[in-house]
């Protein structure tokens, strides 16, 4: 197969996105494990700044290579003003703050495998919320919503019809991830690739700063661990994985791969992060799913794939900063 052929580029891009999905899925294990050492807000505060640092290094590398080749950067959109870029970054950063911290708070009590599938609900919620933005929705969206509701019921609601607090928090987290995807989908077409990276640096820093402010005020309500440098050092492996690999590197891989990958297959591959989250929780953390929860996971995964089986614009895909 010709290395420069469109077919080869599509296959290579799909492989890159699959690698990112594996990184994102295993990040649920890191997030769950870190709660033994530090609180959710402190975790996301440090993670945000690590992600911004990693992305800045990647942007600097891309800029250096571009200058060395003396080739102009490809712009998919005309440059926007710095005021617009900062405003977009701050707005997305606020949404990211709520999405990431609700997820982390939920994972204090919910297993990594279960959290991965509840969070995957965001892919179903995106087209549903799109109705309020006058976006067209196909029949398969409504079928997928019904399947997802049944899956969530089996996954989250006990035989006594009680929804656990952590489950409810993660459903709220999925809602904010859906808001985040819609927000990125609104801004991305107006930005060049480097501007998009710049906006993400801003959102990571702002979300991280808000989280650090909240850490001494609220972390004590969720975990009984000291707010010390030693505790941070104990969680260093998880922080480095979540901040640099899961956010900085995986996000960049997907951004590059989506230049050649077809939208629908790319979205389906991205959604497999929930499967890798399940595998990571079972194999690494020795988590156990009941038969009821296992069926719920399968239904959630089916809903995630079904909702993607329609033509979509690249901007609708998951730019989730996991």
């Amino acid at each position: 197969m010709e290395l420069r052929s469109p077919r080869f580029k599509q296959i290579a891009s799909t492989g890159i996105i699959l690698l990112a999905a594996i990184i994102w899925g295993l990040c649920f294990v890191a997030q769950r494990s870190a709660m033994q050492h530090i609180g959710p807000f402190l975790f996301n505060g440090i993670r945000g700044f690590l992600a911004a640092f990693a992305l800045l290094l990647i942007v600097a590398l891309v800029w250096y290579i571009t200058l060395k080749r003396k080739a102009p950067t490809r712009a998919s959109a005309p440059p926007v003003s710095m005021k617009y870029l900062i405003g977009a970054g701050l707005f997305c950063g606020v949404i990211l703050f709520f999405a990431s911290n609700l997820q982390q708070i939920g994972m204090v009590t919910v297993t990594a495998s279960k959290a991965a599938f509840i969070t995957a609900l965001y892919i179903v919620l995106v087209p549903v919320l799109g109705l309020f933005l006058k976006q067209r929705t196909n029949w398969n969206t409504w079928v997928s919503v019904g399947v997802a509701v049944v899956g969530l019921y089996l996954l989250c609601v006990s035989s006594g019809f009680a929804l656990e607090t952590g489950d409810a928090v993660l459903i709220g987290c999925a809602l904010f991830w859906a808001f985040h995807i819609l927000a990125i989908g609104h801004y991305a077409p107006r930005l060049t690739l480097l501007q998009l990276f710049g906006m993400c640096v801003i959102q990571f820093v702002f979300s991280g700063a808000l989280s650090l402010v909240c850490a001494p005020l609220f972390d004590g309500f969720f975990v009984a661990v000291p707010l010390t440098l030693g505790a941070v050092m104990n969680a260093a492996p998880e922080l480095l994985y979540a901040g640099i690999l899961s956010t900085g590197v995986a996000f960049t891989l997907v951004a590059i791969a989506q230049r050649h990958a077809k939208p629908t297959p790319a979205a389906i591959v991205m959604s497999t992060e929930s499967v890798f989250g399940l595998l990571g929780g079972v194999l690494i953390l020795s988590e156990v799913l009941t038969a009821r929860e296992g069926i719920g996971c399968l239904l959630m995964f089916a809903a995630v794939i079904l909702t993607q089986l329609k033509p979509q614009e690249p901007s609708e895909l998951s730019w989730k900063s996991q």
Side-chain angles (χ1 to χ4, degrees):
M1 184 182 296
E2 186 95 13
L3 293 181
R4 295 185 179 181
S5 67
R7 177 61 177 165
F8 176 81
K9 290 179 179 179
Q10 288 177 7
I11 294 175
S13 297
T14 300
I16 292 174
I17 294 173
L18 180 61
L19 175 60
I22 295 173
I23 294 173
W24 281 338
L26 294 180
C27 189
F28 285 98
V29 176
Q31 290 174 257
R32 173 71 171 164
S33 176
M35 292 301 92
Q36 300 175 20
H37 308 292
I38 60 177
F41 288 100
L42 181 58
F43 178 86
N44 279 320
I46 299 173
R47 176 187 183 182
F49 281 95
L50 285 173
F53 176 72
L55 196 51
L56 277 175
L57 290 180
I58 293 171
V59 171
L61 179 62
V62 171
W63 190 265
Y64 173 76
I65 293 174
T66 302
L67 290 178
K68 190 173 182 180
R69 292 180 177 177
K70 297 181 180 180
T73 55
R74 291 185 179 181
S76 57
V80 299
S81 67
M82 183 58 68
K83 181 179 179 181
Y84 181 90
L85 194 64
I86 293 174
L90 294 179
F91 179 72
C92 292
V94 171
I95 302 176
L96 177 61
F97 165 79
F98 283 103
S100 59
N101 283 296
L102 284 174
Q103 183 180 66
Q104 206 59 41
I105 290 169
M107 292 189 69
V108 172
T109 57
V110 178
T111 62
S113 51
K114 192 175 181 181
F117 276 91
I118 297 177
T119 302
L121 181 64
Y122 72 85
I123 298 182
V124 176
L125 290 174
V126 167
V128 175
L129 292 174
L131 289 175
F132 297 97
L133 301 177
K134 298 181 179 180
Q135 296 176 359
R136 297 178 60 183
T137 302
N138 291 349
W139 64 267
N140 60 313
T141 298
W142 301 112
V143 175
S144 67
V145 169
V147 174
V149 169
V150 176
L152 275 175
Y153 175 81
L154 294 176
L155 191 60
C156 304
V157 181
S158 64
S159 57
F161 296 96
L163 184 69
E164 299 295 333
T165 302
D167 299 336
V169 171
L170 285 170
I171 293 174
C173 143
L175 180 62
F176 273 96
W177 277 130
F179 287 147
H180 188 260
I181 292 169
L182 290 173
I184 295 294
H186 172 75
Y187 290 117
R190 296 166 170 81
L191 306 174
T192 65
L193 184 60
L194 284 178
Q195 286 173 339
L196 179 60
F197 287 164
M199 188 197 76
C200 287
V201 169
I202 295 172
Q203 72 164 346
F204 293 154
V205 170
F206 189 56
S207 175
L210 288 177
S211 298
L212 287 180
V213 170
C214 292
L217 300 175
F218 302 113
D219 270 352
F221 292 103
F222 305 108
V223 293
V225 293
L227 190 65
T228 63
L229 179 60
V232 173
M233 294 304 296
N234 289 334
E238 291 90 343
L239 284 167
L240 291 172
Y241 184 94
I244 295 177
L245 270 182
S246 180
T247 306
V249 174
F251 171 83
T252 306
L253 287 175
V254 170
I256 294 172
Q258 283 186 242
R259 299 174 67 187
H260 302 292
K262 290 184 178 181
T264 299
I268 294 174
V269 174
M270 282 186 228
S271 69
T272 60
E273 66 170 299
S274 58
V275 177
F276 294 114
L278 168 66
L279 293 176
V282 172
L283 297 177
I284 299 176
L285 298 180
S286 301
E287 296 175 352
V288 178
L289 288 177
T290 64
R292 177 191 179 96
E293 291 173 337
I295 295 173
C297 285
L298 290 175
L299 289 175
M300 280 291 296
F301 186 53
V304 165
I305 292 182
L306 182 59
T307 197
Q308 297 299 329
L309 297 181
K310 67 182 182 69
Q312 288 185 318
E313 296 296 324
S315 59
E316 292 181 52
L317 297 180
S318 172
W319 289 88
K320 182 173 69 68
S321 307
Q322 178 74 313

